[in-house]
Structure formats: structure tokens, C-alpha cells
Amino acid sequence: MVDLHEIVAALETGRFCLFYQPKYSITNAVIEGSEALLRLIRPDGTIVTPNAFLGVAAQAGLLPAITRHLVPLLINDMAVLHNTRYSPVSFNTTAGDFADDTLLNLLLSELDRSGLAPSALEVEITESEAIASDACVRINIERVRSAGFGLAMDDFGTGYSSVDTLSQWPFSTIKIDQGLVQRMLDSEKCAHIVRTAIRLAHDLDIDVVAEGVETEAQYQFLLQAGCTKMQGYLISRPLPLAELLSHSEFTGCSVALAVGLIHIALMDHVEWRRELASFAVRTAMLPAEAAARRVHNYPRVIAEQCMAGRWFLQEGAVFSRLPDFSIAATANRDAFAVATEIIANVRAGADMDEINALLARLQINSLTMMGAMMNLENHAFMQIYRPYCVAQPEAGATEHA
Ligand code: G
Ligand code: MN
């Protein structure tokens, strides 16, 4: 362990430094960004990780001093990483670092001095104490976002990094705690929690990063659950800056495909259809001339704004040569066209029979869309699992040189 004397000495002699761990985009199959991680280098060259000293430093009230000490190092490194695949860089803070505006102002002035854009930096916040309700913290954290920095909730699922904090602060990313990731294949409960966290992020339209991914099996799970980014020893350990830059292209994962996003899009569609049907039935029961028929709280009806619609235009475009892709995209647009018709008819005073006929048409489009998406999912599974069959001979098979 590290004692207080050594921590103070490290601050004075500049023996704290930052290592960088790459983040991997599961959907784009490339490294996208990195996380800066604190390390203490002892005079004999041994590297000490934060769990050996953060407890002592926190008790002595030294965390804000350490965070501030790191900012100039961070910004210098960020200038080196600028325009590489390791940018944007995430920087770890605690909610306590934002009890006043010292850190925020330091980040802003150092960044300004460097000429880097705020979007090159993501501030990660761990909530180790329940200070989410502190007004100063809230104001400073809102300023982090309005300044243009990314804002990530670290260790989602543990401690005070809770769903309630997520509802109150303007996070742009959640990072799923590595403990959950490491238990998810052995515990059905953890698996549900991880899958739900991923869906929650998609529903809130924010990024989701799984931390501590160590095995190909964990990667497979995350890929299929619709997780978009990950970090962990499977990709790379945290590395000193120079080693990071000479780090060769990562080739560990079998295939990266946007298959998990098909599932997310299907869930989104089912929910959208339910909302629309519920709205249509409830409203069609009102008198034809009721003013409530014309209030503007309709479910969204723009095909390109739903998750499937966005998937067709973005990650799913790799499937565009398959017939099921156009079947699904057309049926999705048709479903939205019927939805628009339903809303117009409800406004115009349509009765239950007319609405039921339209809902039946909507259902045909929905089922066509979902069936074609499921075919694309099966196709993706074949692409995912084929490399394993080719690469791994059956048990007992002998190989001859
Ligand atoms: O608090 P946070 O979740 O940012 O923790 C990051 C720490 O986890 C770092 O100190 C890093 O060294 C460690 N770490 C990063 N990737 C892995 C991993 O795949 N497995 C384990 N066990 N630890 C990891
Ligand atoms: Mn972190």
C-alpha cells in the first residue's frame, strides 16, 4: 500500500502520470478514443494502480489536488493524441471535484491554451458519495456539458452511479461497471442488468461502453446485446503514451457486426407500435368532435427517427445488398405511412371500425418488417460464427504439418 507521505511526495516530485486504455467501437470495428488512467511511478520504476492509494488520498482530502495536478499532463497528452484514433480522451473525476468551479475552470483554460476542441475531452464521473443533489455540483456538471465536453457516468450499476443520477444529470455516455461485465456470463441476473443498461442507453439516445471486457465470450454477449463500445484487456491494457502510439492494430475479435442493434431496433418498434395503437384506440373512443382528438401528443411518426430507420441508414447499411434489407426498410416506411394516416384519421373524427382496419394494415407492415429483420439477424449470426468453425478443428481431429 501507499501511505500519505508517499502520495504527497509524488505530487511534489511529479510521480503521478497517466496511462491510456483504448476504447473499441463494436459497431465500427475500430478503436475510437481512450481513457486516461492515473498511475503512480515509484522511484524504482514500479507502477502503482489507484486502488492502492485512492482510499488514503480521499481520506486526506487530496483527490481534488491530484485531479488538478493531472490536468496539464492530460492536455499535453491530448495534443499528441489529437487526430489519432485514441481521441477523444476520457478523464476520471468524482462528483466532489465539482463542488466548486476550480477544476472546470482549469480544464477550460488549459484546453483553450492548447487550442483543442472541447469535444476532444470526455469527463467521467464516479459517484462515490451521495452528493448528486448538491446544487453547486449540479450547476458545474451542467456547465461541463454546455462547454461541449462529453460527460460519462462511470461504474454504472454500482455505488451511487444510479438510474436516478442518470435522470438528473446530462450524461452523454454510461460506462457499465466492470464487475457486472465480469459476472454477466455466470449470473442470469447480471446478464439481465447489462442488457437492460444497454437498452436504457439506446432509449436515452446516449453512448454505452462496457468496461473490463477480458474474453471473446464477453465480447460476443455485448455484441449481441447491442452494446456499441467496450474497453478491457481483450483489446488492450492501459499503456503509457509512447506504447499506446506504437500499439499495432487490434485484431482479437472475430467479427464486428451491428447485429445487436437489430434486436434493439425490433424492441423499439414493438414499443412504438404499442404506444401508437394505445393512442389510436383511446382517442377513437372519444366523440368525433372532441377537442382532445387534436392535441399534439402523438407518438413520433418519422420513419428515419426510429431506431430501425437510423439503423437502415447507418450501421445496418452493410446488409443493404440482401433482399431482406429492402423488404425491412420498405415495410418500416409503410408502417410509418399507416401511422401518419391513423393520426390524421383520428384527428378527423374516425370511428373504431376505421381505426381497427388501419391498425390491421399497420400490423401487416410491422410483421413484415420484423420478419425481414429477424432474417438479417440470422444471417449476421452465420457471419459471426462461421470463422469459429473454420478456425477450430473438431475435438479429436488431428492436424498434419
Ligand atoms: O474506475 P474505472 O472503471 O475507470 O476503473 C479502471 C481500472 O480498471 C483501471 O485501473 C484499469 O487498469 C482497470 N482495468 C481496465 N481494463 C480492465 C480489464 O479488462 N480487467 C480488469 N480486471 N481491470 C481492468
Ligand atoms: Mn473510468
Side-chain angles (χ1 to χ4, degrees):
M1 286 304 268
V2 178
D3 61 18
L4 188 55
H5 172 76
E6 190 176 358
I7 295 171
V8 174
L11 269 173
E12 283 166 358
T13 54
R15 276 194 265 112
F16 282 117
C17 78
L18 290 169
F19 277 30
Y20 294 84
Q21 185 173 43
K23 289 185 196 169
Y24 182 74
S25 161
I26 299 176
T27 40
N28 298 330
V30 287
I31 284 167
E32 272 179 18
S34 58
E35 175 175 0
L37 291 159
L38 174 62
R39 295 291 185 264
L40 193 161
I41 314 285
R42 287 198 153 132
D44 66 1
T46 45
I47 296 161
V48 186
T49 56
N51 40 11
F53 57 83
L54 280 191
V56 178
Q59 267 187 349
L62 278 177
L63 287 190
I66 295 176
T67 309
R68 288 198 294 269
H69 174 79
L70 295 172
V71 172
L73 305 177
L74 171 77
I75 305 285
N76 282 343
D77 289 352
M78 279 173 56
V80 177
L81 295 174
H82 179 59
N83 279 338
T84 72
R85 57 204 168 119
Y86 303 110
S87 180
V89 176
S90 305
F91 181 59
N92 287 288
T93 68
T94 65
D97 286 317
F98 294 97
D100 60 41
D101 58 10
T102 319
L103 176 66
L104 180 63
N105 290 340
L106 181 63
L107 284 170
L108 287 169
S109 63
E110 286 288 313
L111 210 75
D112 190 50
R113 184 183 57 80
S114 73
L116 290 164
S119 58
L121 179 68
E122 177 178 72
V123 173
E124 285 189 16
I125 298 188
T126 317
E127 260 274 81
S128 49
E129 311 150 68
I131 56 167
S133 51
D134 184 293
C136 289
V137 174
R138 285 268 286 280
I139 289 167
N140 285 319
I141 284 173
E142 267 151 31
R143 281 183 62 207
V144 167
R145 277 298 275 153
S146 56
F149 301 132
L151 180 66
M153 177 187 275
D154 209 355
D155 303 333
F156 180 75
T158 63
Y160 290 92
S161 290
S162 68
V163 178
D164 188 37
T165 317
L166 198 56
S167 76
Q168 296 185 38
W169 293 0
F171 288 104
S172 49
T173 297
I174 57 174
K175 301 192 72 178
I176 302 175
D177 179 62
Q178 48 177 286
L180 283 172
V181 171
Q182 278 151 16
R183 291 193 307 275
M184 72 192 176
L185 297 182
D186 305 319
S187 151
E188 194 53 38
K189 283 186 188 171
C190 281
H192 282 306
I193 292 167
V194 170
R195 273 193 294 257
T196 305
I198 293 168
R199 260 202 82 197
L200 180 63
H202 284 290
D203 284 342
L204 297 174
D205 201 12
I206 60 179
D207 250 357
V208 54
V209 182
E211 297 191 291
V213 180
E214 295 181 353
T215 67
E216 178 79 19
Q218 289 166 345
Y219 162 72
Q220 287 291 340
F221 178 98
L222 293 164
L223 172 74
Q224 298 190 25
C227 188
T228 47
K229 282 194 185 144
M230 67 175 184
Q231 232 178 294
Y233 296 164
L234 180 65
I235 305 296
S236 168
R237 291 181 170 269
L239 299 168
L241 187 71
E243 265 181 65
L244 181 84
L245 290 168
S246 59
H247 187 67
S248 57
E249 194 66 51
F250 170 75
T251 53
C253 298
S254 49
V255 255
L257 260 185
V259 62
L261 299 184
I262 298 180
H263 174 72
I264 298 280
L266 285 172
M267 304 293 276
D268 180 60
H269 185 84
V270 169
E271 209 145 298
W272 170 81
R273 195 221 63 93
R274 181 185 53 73
E275 271 175 45
L276 183 83
S278 152
F279 158 81
V281 169
R282 175 168 26 96
T283 316
M285 286 185 180
L286 299 169
E289 65 287 349
R293 281 185 179 252
R294 282 166 287 280
V295 285
H296 286 272
N297 58 351
Y298 312 122
R300 67 183 143 71
V301 282
I302 300 170
E304 289 72 22
Q305 279 179 6
C306 71
M307 288 183 197
R310 282 188 272 167
W311 185 83
F312 295 129
L313 294 173
Q314 296 164 26
E315 298 89 352
V318 291
F319 295 97
S320 63
R321 287 217 201 92
L322 300 172
D324 279 307
F325 181 91
S326 14
I327 293 171
T330 306
N332 189 52
R333 273 196 302 275
D334 290 349
F336 276 86
V338 178
T340 309
E341 224 178 297
I342 289 175
I343 288 164
N345 279 267
V346 160
R347 286 173 63 101
D351 64 17
M352 211 57 246
D353 285 347
E354 292 168 83
I355 293 303
N356 273 331
L358 284 167
L359 284 174
R361 271 177 55 205
L362 173 69
Q363 187 162 329
I364 291 169
N365 289 319
S366 279
L367 293 176
T368 305
M369 183 271 213
M370 294 201 292
M373 293 287 271
M374 287 173 193
N375 287 341
L376 294 176
E377 225 175 15
N378 294 346
H379 179 88
F381 291 145
M382 282 190 275
Q383 273 187 272
I384 290 172
Y385 292 117
R386 192 175 292 126
Y388 290 95
C389 304
V390 176
Q392 292 163 13
E394 301 243 337
T398 46
E399 269 187 68
H400 300 281

